[in-house]
Amino acid sequence: VTACTAVRTSYDPNDKTGEPYGQGVNNAILPGTEITYTIRFQNTGTAEAYDVYILDTLDASFDLNTLEILGASHAMVPSILADNVVRFNFANIMLPDSNTNEPLSHGYVQYRITPSSSTPDGASILNTAGIYFDFNPAVITNTTLHTIDYTLAVKKISIQGGIQLSPNPSNEKVMIHMLNKGSYKLNLINMLGEVVYTASNVIDQHTINTS
């Protein structure tokens, strides 16, 4: 199996990626987005590694019931420990060092998991793993980042009848401007089809506190 990923930073043989990468500098994703993590490792020491294991502390935002192992480079046994720690155990892997056999000195594990539906808007989901080669200290991977962003569900607003919304997106309040004369009734409906806000007799403009 060959996996191809985008080169986003300088190469590190022991790293972690989370896909989809998300949007913007904070890697924004919608709530309920399934994240696929890949942890790669390489024996860059001077001797064969008899055992390799990975300790991966999952963010508290994740629903552990959605954890699914997708694949691994070698025979591996996963287990869930206390405090949301997942251990990936590569016992008797006999991983050659990169100086002896560079192509065979690599390994990986891949899994997917979904944040809980109760994860609040703006929550940061961080993830870092520690890779252990025999009795050596852990090699710590980079930290992945995803941010829950409910506004990604809002598409470009095109409304007939002369209505403008500003600012969009908004963090605190949104101003609704009526460009045509008349009296309007406003209904704010969430993605479940529920009316969560109503205003009547709006003539010129109206402000909604989005918090």
Side-chain angles (χ1 to χ4, degrees), residues 160-178:
Q160 295 181 350
I163 298 176
Q164 288 183 346
L165 306 181
S166 63
N168 180 36
S170 171
N171 291 324
E172 297 181 358
K173 63 182 180 179
V174 60
M175 183 74 72
I176 301 176
H177 302 271
M178 306 300 175

Side-chain angles (χ1 to χ4, degrees), residues 12 14 26 29-30 33 53-54 63 66 103 130 147 156 158 187 189 206:
D12 187 339
N14 299 283
N26 293 322
I29 59 174
L30 282 169
T33 298
Y53 69 92
I54 300 171
D63 179 358
T66 65
T147 304
K156 181 179 180 181
S158 178
N187 286 327
I189 303 172
H206 187 78

Side-chain angles (χ1 to χ4, degrees), residues 151-201:
T151 66
L152 293 179
V154 179
K155 306 300 182 182
K156 181 179 180 181
I157 297 177
S158 178
I159 305 175
Q160 295 181 350
I163 298 176
Q164 288 183 346
L165 306 181
S166 63
N168 180 36
S170 171
N171 291 324
E172 297 181 358
K173 63 182 180 179
V174 60
M175 183 74 72
I176 301 176
H177 302 271
M178 306 300 175
L179 302 183
N180 297 330
K181 293 182 178 181
S183 178
Y184 296 87
K185 179 180 179 181
L186 303 177
N187 286 327
L188 181 62
I189 303 172
N190 65 18
M191 289 186 291
L192 299 178
E194 302 166 334
V195 178
V196 296
Y197 182 86
T198 298
S200 301
N201 300 321

Side-chain angles (χ1 to χ4, degrees), residues 15-67:
D15 67 357
K16 181 167 191 175
T17 58
E19 297 181 75
Y21 293 115
Q23 299 183 25
V25 295
N26 293 322
N27 301 334
I29 59 174
L30 282 169
T33 298
E34 188 177 66
I35 303 175
T36 297
Y37 287 108
T38 303
I39 304 171
R40 301 185 303 173
F41 55 89
Q42 182 184 23
N43 178 11
T44 57
T46 57
E48 191 174 46
Y50 287 78
D51 299 294
V52 175
Y53 69 92
I54 300 171
L55 294 182
D56 189 353
T57 302
L58 299 178
D59 193 282
S61 298
F62 284 121
D63 179 358
L64 287 179
N65 293 320
T66 65
L67 175 64

